[in-house]
Amino acid sequence: MSSLSRELVFLILQFLDEEKFKETVHKLEQESGFYFNMKYFEDEVINGNWDEVERYLGGFTKVDDNRYSMKIFFEIRKQKYLEALDKHDRSKAVEILVKDLKVFASFNEELFKEITQLLTLENFRENEQLSKYGDTKSARAIMLVELKKLIEANPLFRDKLQFPNLKSSRLRTLINQSLNWQHQLCKNPRPNPDIKTLFVDHSCGQPNGARAPSPANNPLLGSIPKPGGFPQLGAHGPFQPAPTPVAPLAGWMSNPPAVTHPAVSGGAIGFGTPTNPAAMLKHPRTPSAANPSMDYPSGDSDHVSKRPRPVGLSEEVNLPVNMMPVTYPQSHSYPQDDFHKAVARTLSQGSAPMSMDFHPVQQTLLLVGTNVGDIGLWDVGTKERLVVRNFKVWELGKCSMALQAALVKDPTVSVNRIIWSPDGTLFGVAYSRHIVQIYSYHGGDDIRQHLEIDAHVGGVNDIAFAHPNKQLCIITCGDDKTIKVWEATSGTKQFTFEGHEAPVYSVCPHYKENIQFIFSTALDGKIKAWLYDNLGSRVDYDAPGHWCTTMAYSADGSRLFSCGTSKDGESHLVEWNESEGAVKRTYQGFRKRSMGVVQFDTTRNRFLAAGDEFVIKIWDMDNTSLLTTIEADGGLPASPRIRFNKEGTLLAVSTVDNGIKVLANADGVRLLRTLENRSFDASRSASETVTKVVT
């Protein structure tokens, strides 16, 4: 389906929702597969309408599409099975087991056998893994949190969880504009035309003795309005032409080819109920409590990003009569507890943190890479360092002679970047000497060596994960002025991008409208963009500051930002207009001479943060003025390293004493307290058990 046809479906969805055709709305969502309505899905799950839940999901994914999808369907069918057992409806439970759950036996036969054995128990809670199963309502709520996490991580749902940024009643607006245009072209326009149908083009009849209007009175050629017009379908502001769909790099490159959506694997299915407390405090992408019926956001809402308007006509012929009234949502404000003021944890790493990253699913797991090559994995909830690894080349004999010679001459190595893969099953470490190391993560403190790649001559300055052509890949850049793409399973090199004239400082892979691409920045301030082919760079632009610059998208992928520091210490935080390849807005609030390269991050599609002047500075994405600063009780370096977790509830910040402070907003504080309470309950239970055994 073409981009315009797809956009028309969204316009129809918005119209149907405004006209309260609720069943039709959700049927079109499912049949088109363009927009997954999380609010509707939540309601159906909470109400236990399992047939409709699976029907609706079926418009977007099937059981065997990937491991995320498999676990989604497994959790739903397992819950349905447990509810039947809880009601002592054995025949129904057997039916669900045979028809719905047996499909998973081929993937985990032992699990299927254990599920089957529940039929022999009077109360399935006798099974240790299900001993904490509460009532049906609470069990559904807990499962829903897990489902939402899986859906948001599933690549098949990318670009389908957020409705486009539309003005209210956009379809009515377009019809009004079309009728305005048709009326302007009438040879003999009537002051108050009678519009009775949309099935044919509008045309005013020829009245007796009427004369055609002169060009001087034509609104298309001058500012003098016509004496009348047709009844409007809605009340709207100044005329804005419908946006022309533009490929995300249209202003940055020419003729971008289409690339299909990626898909990556997810975690394994499990038997017990979801227990991750971080998910309990997750902010769902659903309407606000102030307006619960608003499933479809409009451009007036502060909860969706503001895209640039196209250049075009600036005024509409506004005509007086309304047939269909239009309402606009009220603007929203953010509470002060959105800001990370509380120092919730202080962690002692032992060497200076250079890069940090929170796990994409387990919101309190924090990876840290340091200036002496150490890596650490912390559970922020329990304050426990699960893993520490000192730098070591795994197979020195397989490394290049250049690397071996460099390590003999100077064995000191620093971590330049550490990052999780999208599903959290791998993480990559880019070092200041030639290599990247990829670990696989198996939960708890279980990390295993996966790949070691002698990637670049000199330092590897950045590493990222992407999934072009449905294949998980590793992207690296380095001092040798190249960007390279590696297959994540075998480490096979797939592409080498050459064209920078200085060391490449950072990479930012992304995709939009089925186009996969990579932005790269170099130490000469050049920004380039690459597709996954061998046709060279599509872009050559200058970054503000002309030196160390990193780029990042907002969480929903709709807005692009960069932050850079010049050799003279001038820092620049900007938002880009992708369609034009130009700076859209520049954020104020940096000191004239930053004492280091400023690091930044984005959170919740709403805020920007940067470490500068021994504090963390916060901006609203839609306002260039500095919003607030956070001192974190002092002890921060001049340009602290910072990283938000995915939910935006926690913020990790490096300290001058080789440590990390974890700041929390109100939700983050509740999350950590929940973890503390559970940890305390578990330790007390264990202590009581030991006491009973001793006595």
Side-chain angles (χ1 to χ4, degrees), residues 81 97 110 112-121 127:
Y81 177 66
L97 187 68
E110 290 302 317
F112 182 73
K113 288 180 179 178
E114 191 169 358
I115 291 175
T116 303
Q117 288 172 0
L118 296 179
L119 289 167
T120 65
L121 303 177
N127 182 287

Side-chain angles (χ1 to χ4, degrees), residues 83-264:
E83 289 183 15
L85 289 176
D86 211 21
K87 296 176 181 177
H88 301 287
D89 190 345
R90 303 283 173 171
S91 60
K92 182 65 175 178
V94 170
E95 180 184 349
I96 295 170
L97 187 68
V98 173
K99 291 185 178 180
D100 296 336
L101 287 170
K102 191 173 180 59
V103 66
F104 302 104
S106 59
F107 300 100
N108 193 329
E109 187 174 352
E110 290 302 317
L111 175 62
F112 182 73
K113 288 180 179 178
E114 191 169 358
I115 291 175
T116 303
Q117 288 172 0
L118 296 179
L119 289 167
T120 65
L121 303 177
E122 181 64 25
N123 185 340
F124 64 78
R125 293 172 182 82
E126 297 171 18
N127 182 287
E128 182 180 357
Q129 296 184 60
L130 295 171
S131 60
K132 294 184 179 180
Y133 184 97
D135 58 17
T136 296
K137 183 177 180 180
S138 62
R140 289 176 183 175
I142 293 171
M143 179 194 65
L144 180 59
V145 173
E146 181 74 7
L147 292 180
K148 288 166 65 177
K149 286 167 49 184
L150 291 167
I151 289 169
E152 291 176 0
N154 193 328
L156 295 178
F157 288 82
R158 288 199 179 97
D159 293 334
K160 298 179 180 180
L161 297 178
Q162 186 160 341
F163 201 78
N165 180 18
L166 303 177
K167 286 281 189 180
S168 294
S169 305
R170 179 62 182 159
L171 188 57
R172 294 187 184 92
T173 303
L174 293 176
I175 293 172
N176 279 343
Q177 292 169 1
S178 173
L179 293 174
N180 270 326
W181 184 273
Q182 293 169 32
H183 189 58
Q184 290 164 10
L185 298 179
C186 288
K187 293 182 178 180
N188 302 286
R190 293 180 179 176
N192 295 291
D194 185 15
I195 305 297
K196 294 182 178 179
T197 181
L198 298 176
F199 294 161
V200 296
D201 289 347
H202 161 71
S203 177
C204 291
Q206 177 77 25
N208 293 331
R211 295 183 301 171
S214 67
N217 292 328
N218 191 325
L220 295 176
L221 302 178
S223 60
I224 303 174
K226 291 185 176 180
F230 64 89
Q232 274 190 274
L233 295 181
H236 300 279
F239 171 73
Q240 291 289 346
T244 302
V246 179
L249 298 177
W252 301 62
M253 63 175 66
S254 59
N255 302 323
V259 182
T260 58
H261 261 312
V264 296

Side-chain angles (χ1 to χ4, degrees), residues 340-354:
H340 303 70
K341 298 288 188 180
V343 178
R345 296 286 188 271
T346 300
L347 311 175
S348 178
Q349 179 60 39
S351 50
M354 301 298 291

Side-chain angles (χ1 to χ4, degrees), residues 626-646:
L626 185 64
L627 182 60
T628 189
T629 60
I630 301 172
E631 296 184 0
D633 297 340
L636 304 186
S639 300
R641 314 281 172 163
I642 65 172
R643 190 67 168 174
F644 286 103
N645 68 349
K646 183 180 177 184

Side-chain angles (χ1 to χ4, degrees), residues 2 26 121 135 158 186 199 213 239 250 258-259 313 340 343 361 423-424 444 461 528 566 582 671 679:
S2 70
H26 303 313
L121 303 177
D135 58 17
R158 288 199 179 97
C186 288
F199 294 161
F239 171 73
V259 182
L313 300 177
H340 303 70
V343 178
V361 179
D423 62 359
N461 296 323
K528 295 182 182 291
S566 72
L671 166 63
S679 177

